[in-house]
Amino acid sequence: MPTVEIDGRQIEVQNGATVMDAANALGIAIPHFCYHKKLSIAANCRMCLVQVEKAPKPLPACATPAAEGMKVFTDSEYARTAQKSVMEFLLINHPLDCPICDQGGECQLQDLAVGYGKSASRYKEEKRVVFHKNIGPLISMEEMSRCIHCTRCVRFGQEIAGVMELGMMGRGEHSEIVSFVGNSVDSELSGNMIDLCPVGALTSKPFRYSARTWELARRKSVSPHDSLGSNLIVQVMANKVMRVLPLENEELNECWLSDRDRFSYEGLNSGERLTQPMLKVDGDWQEVDWQQALAAVAKGVKNVLALNGAQGLGALAAPHSTLEELYLLGKLMRGVGSENVDFRLRQSDFSADHKQAGAPWLGMKIADIGSLDRVLVIGSFLRKDHPLLANRLRQAAKRGQQVNLIHATDDDLLLELANKAIVPPQELPEMLAQVLKAVAEAKQQPVPAALAAVEVGEQARNIAASLASGARAGIFLGNFATQHAQATQLRLLAQELAGLLGASFGFFGEAANSVGGYLARAVPGAGGLDAAAMLATPRYAYLLLNAEPELDCHDPRAAIKAMHATDFVISMTAYKGHALEYANVMLPIAPFTETSGTFVNAEGRMQSFNGVVKPLGDARPAWKVLRVLGNLLGLAGFDFDSSEQVRDEILKPGEVAARLDNRLSGVELQTPAPSDGLQRIADVPIYFGDAIVRRAASLQQTRDAAPPRAWMNAALLSKLGLADGQPVRVKQGSSEVGLNAALDDRLPRDCVRIAAGHAATRDLGPMSGEVRVEPQK
Amino acid sequence: MLSAESLQRIDREIAKFPAEHKQSAVIAALAIAQDEKGWLANETMDFVARYLGMPPIAVYEVASFYNMYNLEPGGRHKVTVCTNLPCALSGGADAAEHLKQRLGVGFNETTADGRVTLKQGECMGACGDAPVLLVNNKRMCSNMSREKLDQLLAELK
Amino acid sequence: MLDYGPDAILMKGLDGSNWHLKDYEARGGYGALKKILGEKITPDAVVAEVKKSGLRGRGGAGFPAGLKWSFMPKQYAGPKYLVCNTDEGEPGTFKDRDIIRYNPHMLIEGMIIAAYAMGTAVGYNYIHGEIWAEYELFEQALDEARAAGYLGRNILGADFSFELHAVHGWGAYICGEETGLLESIEGKKGQPRFKPPFPASYGLYGKPTTINNTETFAAVPWIINNGGDAFLALGRPNNGGTKLFSVSGHVNRPGNYEVRLGTPFATLLEMAGGMRGGRKIKAVIPGGSSAPVLPGQVMMQTDLDYDSIAKAGSMLGSGAVIVMDETTCMVRALERLSYFYFEESCGQCTPCREGTGWMYRMVHRIEHGKGRQEDLDLLTNVADNIAGRTICALGDAAALPVKSFLNHFRDEFQYHVDHKRCLVDVPGGYFTAAARAEKAA
Ligand SMILES: Cc1cc2nc3c(=O)[nH]c(=O)nc-3n(C[C@H](O)[C@H](O)[C@H](O)COP(=O)(O)O)c2cc1C
Ligand code: SF4
Ligand code: FES
């Protein structure tokens, strides 16, 4: 633990700390460009040169180890001369047109040039011109002459995103940041490069030249997409969201955002926004005022109650709704006597209901994932479902964490896996059972009777050995496991395994409020119907909250059928969408940026936020709409003045922990029994997952948003006599759609991967189960 | 994409390095690929990337960093003359001038008949034999007087 | 017979074709290795002998070889590497090529001994891409050594294994810089790494690595055979042994000469046949293009060893002696060198990437009659702003010529600025106005 002195102040630092670290700890700012605390040290910009006593030349603070007794001067004449000379070099080839640069006002180079630059340049030679490039819909490389070669973007790809998509080609003055000839940048974390670029070389394509930074108000918010709860800075101008940036939170998103969190705001400004209540009158949609609309809703609901009773109602909410919205929806339903409320729209196995000790959650702090030394991920499209959790595992794996995977696809997670078992979906429980058995045997513990016949294979044994060899293990069930037809068995197996290993176990969580939905009791109580049951036998009226059943439900076909078979559908939604086909009332509600609310993330962290802009048009926060509805229905306890009041009625932040519990009781382990036939594997691609992101125009142009295809491995294609790219009919039960066949050899045998959450596959059945594929005639 | 013989040569290079460091063979692999194809097209670099388990952009970085790779198709022969100071002092610059005149091209240009691409080289570590030049990267010609230059040009069909 | 001069010990008895293993053995080759393994001389004793010899790195910086070897961690679980730098791209240097084509086994034996001394099991010799024939020849020599049991498992039956491979560059001067070279072996762009950490703790693949120049390793067998003291005695204190000097430029017999360190420059010039055409010596770059230029008269008074040349204001460097006579236009000469560093900058650090181009463009303008008065001071200032502020020494290497040329020959630069033409107007001279006019006619 060396002690160093910087600008006359002493500090003790960790072994291996640099002068930059020491200065940061002292709050001394050293100018820099290439240095970034999350990236490897490149020491190439030379802006951080400082004077070190006895050193024959100025040294880069970012790369110089702090040594015992070292005396550093960051602001001496000597240091400043060096820093200024570097600034001069940086500026000789940099365009000096800040007023027209998109980065103007938030440019590190501009900021530092003020302090370290000269007013007139001594450089009288011709300036370098660097040709622009096209690397896809999100990042603009129009202004590459501005690049200062700090290589932050390149290092980001290699080290954080896990995929090197940008590189610095050429040599010397001719070196340029490029992607491989003509390739786009496809990483789901790519937008961070925009933040990392200290100049205006990489800028946001959707935002480009739409506003000057100083015109933007900065407001805090929380991402509504995945279960991480990334903290956002939402930038606003004239009551419109113009851009989203990360709000640093080391315990959650660190300094990053996934592209989904960053660019989905375009969906908020989509032309499909519903801005006026609408009522279907004699088959035609009419714009009405709120009073009319709500009166119609109350009347409709009362009608059903009178004719069909409370069981005739069903309420379905998207898990991206706020805690308050989910709670009031449940409260409303219970107020009229129904327990038919659910937010778990993509779940198919509800056999754990009423047998769980508390709300299923991650089982640990997100920040602690990195300090596990053994991990088992079960059923997860990890990178696309949880881009930043994947990053935590990626970084931990580099430090020696062994990550094991049991899943149905072998998508490249861009992290080093210790072991993986890729099996058809229906064999997931059997594979997990093998691991459980292997661990039990190794630990000389009794093997559960139901697993007596399970034969332990080599993969399972390797996974078991990996898990058993560490001190701290974590077992995580991903979205695919949560949505699995045997989700409860998977969960029970994971629970048993965790018990044997003394490991932590939990769920990654599908959405922003997957934990919050349970805390808000937006799940059926005794006698209530779960999401699947509500659709299996159509209700007489549905209350939809932020949900687009044809895209958000496990069985979109059943959902559509149910919607059409029903007399009265009330859609509380921010968008027009397909509800126009089947709804009777459309109530324009505010997306997360236009309302206050709360998300409870995977680790049980309650994050409340305020609206950052006023609701668009006549849209209203859903909690207010539900409050009024409660009143109109004559229900007690709906007199809330603020969303905070609603939240406080649900629970206080300090009460969350006690409500989280993954334990199941009263469920029996079953002997895993695989089924035959071609099995569907349905992922929910990263930009198909919820109503907002589906309308984010730029994200929809990325490779990840490519329309679904019927992916199969080569063996299956040839067994079916199909060629890569050939049009096929995919049949599931009585439903069918036309898609193109496609080759993916990372799929297990006899499986067809067909994405959910997209209009092209909404006429298919459940996200799992048997399918048939035939050539298009 | 590459011939069996080239792949065999690449495998020999890979074997020089620890198994987890196949990437170490990329410089040799690209040189071998260039021997076979004459230049490094994107498909070729992509192939090498896959063969060595590298990101294509990392292969491109290498291919564009080292001078002796041809990233564009050129003439049937590449002639690289050293014009660095030690050589220039002993006729290297004159040799380059002579070649330019005889071929009617400047540096980085190819003769109209597609016969020769002329390049300016940096020190080849042979300054004692100036003027020196390389034919197709691998054949070094020393003490290139005007007569010997003319002979060489006559030989390069 | 190849003649490297009367003092030659490393390059003695060579005729260009007697490089094979049997020839080398006939000259007593691999005797040093046999002695070490036979007499069970300890690795530490080998390092001590090399320390005693006063052998300094022949690649440029002149760092004591034995000391460098002693930095390798002894107790290290996992691989350590030995790397030889035959990237020889420093303009004016062409000695290592002779070693690997005329006496490759001397290098191989030297590396085996070094591997023994430092406990490394794998080595690489990185060979300049431009000398393909030599690369192939060296591969053959390696095959011979493997077949004879000098390389591989249990060398000569001892409990010592070492495998050595040849790898080649493909045209990037910066790969001669040791960490750029390591990056290149790792299959990347040859961009130097910031030091510390030094290769001895974080080298090839992040493992402890020692890297020396070809000539450094090549001297080791002689040192073991004859003792460190004998080697030291050949030269001067702190400057042990003989050294190969590559003489190029305006001399009658350019080539490599092996002389004792401390030999007067005048003697070397004589060995190289004296000045071409009997012209007057104007300037000498004594240690490769990166070393400061010295006026001829200064050089004529200087002895060829690390300390003497340093005292005279330059560096022995790689031992590449570039001799320029009175017909040389120093502006044009500097223009060519500046172009070289501009071309070869790897591009990662700001001062070198931006500054080398700036300097080259200024010198280019001056040479082409477009110089401005303020350019002269600006050049020196830009050079000062590069030197010592970069990741690797290429920044210094680019700055030193500029500074030294302006320092010693400022009048010529001034003349170019004032008169838009060359001061040196000797017919037939290098790059002078007269020479160009002559050619044009
Ligand atoms: C730009 C640059 C180029 C260099 N080129 C060479 C070279 O071609 N050969 C060489 O042996 N050393 C070269 N060096 C020096 C090496 O970095 C290193 O010091 C040397 O290989 C160490 O070996 P030695 O101690 O035996 O001299 C170069 C250094 C720099 C900064
Ligand atoms: S000094 Fe030049 S060559 Fe050396 S690392 Fe920096 S940019 Fe590269
Ligand atoms: S300067 Fe031309 S080969 Fe050395």
Side-chain angles (χ1 to χ4, degrees), chain C residues 162-196:
Chain C
F162 178 59
E163 192 44 89
L164 179 58
H165 302 284
V167 296
H168 63 80
W170 209 239
Y173 165 65
I174 194 57
C175 293
E177 197 283 337
E178 55 189 14
T179 55
L181 187 152
L182 296 178
E183 289 282 302
S184 185
I185 299 184
E186 291 183 8
K188 306 177 193 154
K189 297 184 286 181
Q191 291 190 322
R193 304 173 182 167
F194 180 77
K195 294 179 273 188

Side-chain angles (χ1 to χ4, degrees), chain A residues 42-47 49 57-60 63-65 78 81-83 85-86 88-90 92-93 121-126 128 147-151 167-175, chain C residues 171-174 189 191 194 196-197 342-358 361-362 365 372 374-375 377-378 381-383 385-392 396:
Chain A
N44 59 28
C45 79
R46 317 308 284 178
M47 191 64 211
L49 291 175
K57 50 188 189 180
L59 298 177
T64 302
Y78 183 84
T81 308
Q83 292 157 4
S85 74
V86 172
E88 178 176 39
F89 284 131
L90 281 172
I92 66 173
N93 273 307
S121 176
R122 300 189 293 170
Y123 185 76
K124 298 283 184 315
E125 324 301 321
E126 214 167 299
R128 169 172 68 225
C147 168
I148 58 167
H149 302 79
C150 68
T151 65
M168 190 155 92
M169 67 140 230
R171 204 163 74 189
E173 200 188 82
H174 312 296
S175 46
Chain C
Y173 165 65
I174 194 57
K189 297 184 286 181
Q191 291 190 322
F194 180 77
F342 165 56
E343 236 344 271
E344 298 293 339
S345 164
C346 85
Q348 64 174 329
C349 34
T350 305
C352 175
R353 178 187 63 245
E354 306 294 340
T356 50
W358 191 356
R361 289 187 176 97
M362 281 194 277
R365 270 197 294 101
R372 294 187 273 263
E374 65 268 24
D375 288 341
D377 288 339
L378 188 53
N381 184 253
V382 172
N385 283 344
I386 300 173
R389 293 176 189 172
T390 51
I391 290 178
C392 86
D396 306 302

Side-chain angles (χ1 to χ4, degrees), chain B residues 9 13 15-18 21 23-28 30-31 34-35 54 58 61-62 64-70 82-91 93-94 97 120-129 134 136-140 142 146, chain C residues 81 88-94 97 101 124 126 128-132 135 139 165-172 174-175 184-191 205 248-250 254 276 285 322-324 328 333 336-337 339-340 343-344 346 430-431 439:
Chain B
R9 286 177 61 198
E13 296 300 322
K16 293 176 179 176
F17 306 100
H21 295 292
Q23 172 168 357
S24 282
V26 68
I27 293 174
L30 287 172
Q34 177 167 295
D35 276 353
M54 293 171 67
E61 278 193 341
V62 167
S64 62
F65 188 87
Y66 296 86
N67 271 354
M68 287 155 69
Y69 296 116
N70 307 333
C82 176
T83 60
N84 206 313
L85 179 63
C87 271
L89 293 171
S90 295
D94 293 340
E97 277 311 312
Q120 165 162 249
E122 291 302 346
C123 183
M124 296 165 183
C127 332
D129 303 338
L134 286 177
N136 296 330
N137 297 332
K138 291 193 169 174
R139 175 177 159 206
M140 185 177 282
S142 305
R146 286 182 185 211
Chain C
Y81 292 99
E88 200 163 57
E90 173 82 359
T93 319
F94 47 90
R97 176 188 183 213
R101 66 174 162 171
Y124 295 97
Y126 188 96
H128 203 215
E130 283 83 343
I131 50 171
W132 187 259
Y135 170 75
E139 284 270 33
H165 302 284
V167 296
H168 63 80
W170 209 239
I174 194 57
C175 293
S184 185
I185 299 184
E186 291 183 8
K188 306 177 193 154
K189 297 184 286 181
Q191 291 190 322
Y205 307 124
S248 64
H250 293 144
R276 201 190 299 160
I285 304 178
I322 306 168
V323 180
M324 289 170 270
T328 314
R336 187 60 187 83
L337 289 182
Y339 179 76
F340 171 70
E343 236 344 271
E344 298 293 339
C346 85
Y430 169 56
F431 289 155
K439 209 172 294 158

Side-chain angles (χ1 to χ4, degrees), chain A residues 574-597:
Chain A
Y575 300 100
K576 290 181 180 148
H578 299 290
L580 287 170
E581 299 163 14
Y582 51 70
N584 302 82
V585 190
M586 306 247 288
L587 303 178
I589 58 167
F592 76 109
T593 41
E594 299 170 18
T595 177
S596 55

Side-chain angles (χ1 to χ4, degrees), chain C residues 57-61 63 68 85 87-90 96 173-174 176-178 211-213 216 392-394:
Chain C
R58 303 304 196 216
F63 193 83
K68 189 188 272 187
N85 188 343
D87 194 44
E88 200 163 57
E90 173 82 359
D96 297 338
Y173 165 65
I174 194 57
E177 197 283 337
E178 55 189 14
I211 173 164
N212 276 115
N213 173 253
T216 314
C392 86
L394 188 136

Side-chain angles (χ1 to χ4, degrees), chain A residues 362-376 392-393 396-397 399-403 470-476 502-505 508:
Chain A
L362 187 63
M364 62 189 308
K365 289 269 170 233
I366 287 166
D368 291 340
I369 290 180
S371 54
L372 294 172
D373 45 24
R374 299 291 182 270
V375 165
L376 173 62
R392 280 190 187 264
L393 292 177
R399 295 189 300 262
Q401 179 182 80
Q402 291 184 7
V403 183
R472 290 199 60 206
I475 298 170
F476 300 103
S504 141
F505 120 84
F508 282 142

Side-chain angles (χ1 to χ4, degrees), chain A residues 21 42 52 96 137 139 162 235 255 279 294 313 364 392 479 497 519 642 644 696 709:
Chain A
D21 296 332
V52 176
L96 298 174
I139 303 177
Q235 296 191 310
C255 54
L279 199 58
L294 288 172
L313 288 177
M364 62 189 308
R392 280 190 187 264
N479 297 0
L497 182 59
L519 300 180
S642 68
E644 287 78 11
R709 291 196 257 173

